[in-house]
Amino acid sequence: MTSRPWSVHGDESGVGRPSFVAEFGLWDDRQAAAAEHVEAELDEVDLVRVVFCDPHGLARSKTVPANIFRSVLRNGMDFSAGPFLFDTGHAVAVDFLADSGLGVGELLGAGDFVLVPDPRTFQVLPRTEPWAEPRTAPRTAWVLGNEFLRDGSPHPLACRDVLRRVCAEYAKRDLAPVIGLEIEWYLTRLTGGPPGNAGNGFGLQGAAPAVEAMNPGYQFNLDSYYDSVAEVADPLAAMLLALGLPLRTIEHESGPGQLETTFGPMLAMDAADAMLLFRTQVKQACRRRGFHASFMTLPRLESFDPSGWHLHQSVTSTKTNTNLFAAGSAQDTISPDGEAYVEGLLSRARELCLLSVPTVNGYRRLDPQFTLSPTSVNWRFEDRSAMVRVLSGDSSTHVENRIGEPCANPYLAIASQLHAGLEGLIADAPANGTAYPALPRSLREAVDAFGESSSATELLGTPLKTCLMKLKECEASRFDAWCAAERPAGGEVTEWEHREYFGVF
């Protein structure tokens, strides 16, 4: 294949030809204006990490020198299709040597796609004490990209584009979804041990990081337990603020070293971008200090409690700048529009559960033994045992969906709930307490419900829906095969799960 003149690897024969962005009209006015600011900032940057979010919710990147990024900014750069093909254990789940069955011809032979940076997401990573590196170390920036096929069309497997399309559906109706993030996760101390490469390969993960707990846990919000992790948590808070994220709280939860981090309300795309940046930077900052952060739901560690991702959501009318869910200042009230939105969340909870709880391990949490985890499809005012908790308070009225696990793909998790809520708004049917289909109890059950869902097809398109099913069927099959061979004790988190998720997520 002839090298594209706009490729970062191309030669100078394409000088005078429009950039990839210009040729296909990929940026709006805000992105074009942001690009000018980025170009001015590059004089202060040595390296740029060009990032996209894969179907599993993990950040994949290439690092380029700032002078190379000047071309990448407007021309994009080639990325391998590998992250679309491998499941969570790096097993090949999508055939790329023959017809993949996804209807995406570029996947044949694992062909490249083009990642185009979104200049609005350009972020110089802070040097915040005590994470600071020597002043001679390179200064690094981070930027998220959007995936495109070589003809300039959006890649059918691009997760960020799913959320963009959902937000556009709201905008057509003069509405804007607002999201608040509440994430539980574990901080542990690395104790050395092997790097985990022994036995690792395609479909088999090596040993998980060797860690020890930070404290005994099970003294909810105890200040002394927060202080036992403050040497890490306080600098993390400073780092998050330096990244421009709307941090609200960091607090100690129930489990040993279990933390909860919350952020203020953001527009939906900003919230998804923030979630990816938050998880990635927290894991990396902790590792540099000799600690390990994990967003796995329930690690295989003594006395650990499951972690959840609670997604707070409301809808603003852009015409009147008012909260659609508000119904006055009376206690325990929500507007008819708010009830219709909740009805959408409940009616699609089972079939779209895979996008909020995408791992084998995540379904451990949806068990009656964990009293504050959702086990049925329901809603109530100010009740943390319900799947959807409604918090009323006039203009601050919003709903909290408690179903998600903290390692879920932020673009797909947020998009799926906004999509379901919009279906409810359009149908204008109140959440009247009618019985809804039960939540899946396993990844396998969730994949089956997802496969039968026409709403999932409408949300994702057939290629991405099919891709996700192949990825998750592969993951579930490998787990089933391991259990058949090892016969683990029922009800316990398995070694397979801990190896599969604890380190990477």
Side-chain angles (χ1 to χ4, degrees):
M1 184 181 75
T2 303
S3 178
R4 295 193 308 280
W6 50 76
S7 170
V8 70
H9 304 297
D11 56 28
E12 295 301 318
S13 61
V15 172
R17 186 171 172 177
S19 69
F20 190 78
V21 167
E23 180 167 357
F24 297 110
L26 303 182
W27 284 349
D28 59 24
D29 291 342
R30 292 176 302 163
Q31 289 170 308
E36 295 183 7
H37 291 289
V38 169
E39 288 172 328
E41 285 189 83
L42 287 175
D43 289 337
E44 306 300 321
V45 171
D46 301 295
L47 302 171
V48 181
R49 290 189 185 177
V50 186
V51 181
F52 77 99
C53 184
D54 77 359
H56 303 297
L58 296 169
R60 307 286 179 174
S61 74
K62 292 185 179 183
T63 299
V64 299
N67 66 308
I68 298 296
F69 184 74
R70 291 186 185 277
S71 174
V72 170
L73 178 61
R74 297 177 185 274
N75 292 311
M77 70 183 305
D78 291 346
F79 266 71
S80 166
F84 298 129
L85 309 175
F86 301 119
D87 74 358
T88 52
H90 206 65
V92 178
V94 178
D95 187 359
F96 58 89
L97 298 179
D99 182 2
S100 65
L102 305 188
V104 183
E106 283 80 354
L107 293 180
L108 187 62
D112 286 342
F113 65 90
V114 183
L115 190 72
V116 176
D118 183 343
R120 293 173 300 179
T121 68
F122 186 87
Q123 174 74 62
V124 178
L125 299 179
R127 288 170 170 162
T128 305
E129 296 292 348
W131 315 100
E133 299 158 341
R135 294 308 178 193
T136 57
R139 194 71 193 270
T140 302
W142 152 295
V143 66
L144 287 169
N146 293 316
E147 304 99 302
F148 292 91
L149 299 178
R150 293 188 293 273
D151 64 3
S153 58
H155 200 297
L157 306 183
C159 299
R160 196 167 185 256
D161 198 54
V162 173
L163 182 55
R164 182 195 61 77
R165 293 196 305 267
V166 172
C167 291
E169 288 300 315
Y170 277 83
K172 288 178 184 177
R173 296 167 174 82
D174 298 311
L175 301 174
V178 178
I179 297 295
L181 304 174
E182 178 183 336
I183 311 105
E184 296 166 349
W185 56 283
Y186 271 101
L187 176 66
T188 54
R189 181 180 286 104
L190 291 168
T191 59
N197 59 299
N200 203 353
F202 290 86
L204 182 65
Q205 295 293 289
V211 301
E212 63 182 11
M214 298 291 290
N215 55 49
Y218 297 98
Q219 290 290 341
F220 185 75
N221 282 171
L222 185 69
D223 185 65
S224 294
Y225 280 3
Y226 179 83
D227 192 65
S228 72
V229 301
E231 63 176 306
V232 184
D234 285 354
L236 282 178
M239 179 190 74
L240 296 173
L241 291 170
L243 286 168
L245 299 180
L247 178 67
R248 289 172 66 93
T249 65
I250 299 182
E251 61 194 75
H252 200 284
E253 274 282 330
S254 294
Q258 187 183 38
L259 297 176
E260 178 179 276
T261 307
T262 69
F263 295 90
M266 291 174 271
L267 293 176
M269 186 64 78
D270 293 338
D273 290 345
M275 183 69 170
L276 185 67
L277 180 65
F278 161 68
R279 288 191 315 211
T280 306
Q281 293 303 311
V282 163
K283 285 184 72 70
Q284 293 172 4
C286 288
R287 179 192 54 76
R288 291 174 189 144
R289 270 303 288 286
F291 296 87
H292 179 63
S294 183
F295 295 85
M296 176 184 178
T297 296
L298 184 56
R300 183 181 165 88
L301 294 168
E302 181 68 29
S303 300
F304 273 39
D305 202 37
S307 295
W309 173 16
H310 306 155
L311 196 64
H312 296 255
Q313 45 205 292
S314 63
V315 177
T316 296
S317 166
T318 56
K319 276 188 173 181
T320 62
N321 196 31
T322 56
N323 181 354
L324 227 61
F325 296 177
S329 57
Q331 187 174 349
D332 293 350
T333 56
I334 189 171
S335 71
D337 281 335
E339 282 204 40
Y341 186 95
V342 170
E343 167 67 19
L345 293 179
L346 301 179
S347 64
R348 298 299 186 189
R350 176 178 173 82
E351 61 197 271
L352 298 181
C353 186
L354 180 68
L355 302 181
S356 293
V357 191
T359 71
V360 168
N361 183 257
Y363 290 88
R364 302 276 181 192
R365 175 173 166 264
L366 306 185
D367 187 294
Q369 69 173 304
F370 302 117
T371 55
L372 292 182
S373 297
T375 57
S376 60
V377 182
N378 57 2
W379 76 284
R380 285 188 288 273
F381 288 99
E382 281 292 0
D383 188 336
R384 284 183 167 85
S385 67
M387 189 191 92
V388 175
R389 173 187 175 216
V390 178
L391 297 90
S392 61
D394 206 0
S395 62
S396 64
T397 299
H398 65 279
V399 303
E400 173 194 5
N401 194 331
R402 300 171 60 80
I403 195 173
E405 64 173 321
C407 63
N409 181 307
Y411 302 97
L412 299 184
I414 293 174
S416 66
Q417 295 190 33
L418 295 182
H419 175 74
L422 185 59
E423 282 189 343
L425 281 172
I426 293 171
D428 196 25
N432 54 22
T434 303
Y436 301 95
L439 291 172
R441 297 300 300 273
S442 68
L443 179 62
R444 177 75 67 186
E445 191 178 335
V447 171
D448 291 343
F450 179 76
E452 297 169 0
S453 173
S454 59
S455 185
T457 306
E458 180 184 350
L459 169 65
L460 303 174
T462 299
L464 181 53
K465 180 184 177 183
T466 305
C467 179
L468 288 170
M469 290 186 65
K470 286 178 178 288
L471 294 173
K472 291 302 164 182
E473 285 170 350
C474 185
E475 180 181 338
S477 294
R478 287 191 301 104
F479 176 68
D480 291 344
W482 185 90
C483 289
E486 300 294 331
R487 300 185 181 278
E492 293 184 2
V493 177
T494 63
E495 179 189 352
W496 185 96
E497 293 166 74
H498 197 63
R499 289 201 320 252
E500 187 86 0
Y501 307 120
F502 185 63
V504 174
F505 291 95

